[in-house]
Amino acid sequence: MKEETKKKIIEFFSKYPLKKFKKGQVLYEPNDEFGGVAFVKSGYLKVYDIAKDGKESGIQLFKPLFFFSLIHAKTGIKNRHYIEALTPVEFWLAPKVDFMAFIRSDAALTEDVMNAFLTKFVDMTSYMSQLISGDAYSKVASLIFSMADEFGVIRNKRTTIKFKITHKLIASLTGLTRETVTLQMLKLEKDGLIDNDRRQIVVEDMVKLKKVLGFE
């Protein structure tokens, strides 16, 4: 979303209660009501499902509350996933009636929110394609690229992902075993593409990683 849109949304939401959660807390479980439209002030979340065998399967969204709760507000479709605090999280929760009235009052804001939603959808379809067709190396590399692209801090050519990521989480998001993820991470480090010091991933050169993935 454009910075102007973000400012307008934050100004709107800041009038409503701020909810706080500790790292590891589950905010919502499948079929839970959101209770309104939510917008994250700070922190990161993970979204996942749990299979019958107990295996966790993650979805590549780390600030999903706004989009998920907006879908619920518009369609009535209940949440279908577990949503957990990956770091300490704060989010505002506004009544859906108030938010829908707010967004309808500003055509430019409505268009920008819709564009952001569609962009996220396109990103998700690309991610799913990589999961289906890519090998283990490209699955891990593409996940790291997308996280660095959306949640990275750039210093010179190096891009640091803002939150710490465990190999277990990457395994959940890629459908690989933790051992396979560790092996691929070591290969990416050996190839000079990433630095995984203390679980905070740094992409050495986003342009180079993009070329390796064939995105250009």
Side-chain angles (χ1 to χ4, degrees), residues 12-27:
F12 166 80
F13 274 102
S14 61
K15 297 180 293 185
Y16 296 95
L18 184 65
K19 294 181 173 290
K20 299 182 180 182
F21 292 83
K22 296 179 181 179
K23 177 182 177 181
Q25 279 190 272
V26 176
L27 284 64

Side-chain angles (χ1 to χ4, degrees), residues 35-46:
V37 179
F39 191 83
V40 173
K41 179 185 179 183
S42 64
Y44 298 92
L45 303 153
K46 68 174 182 176

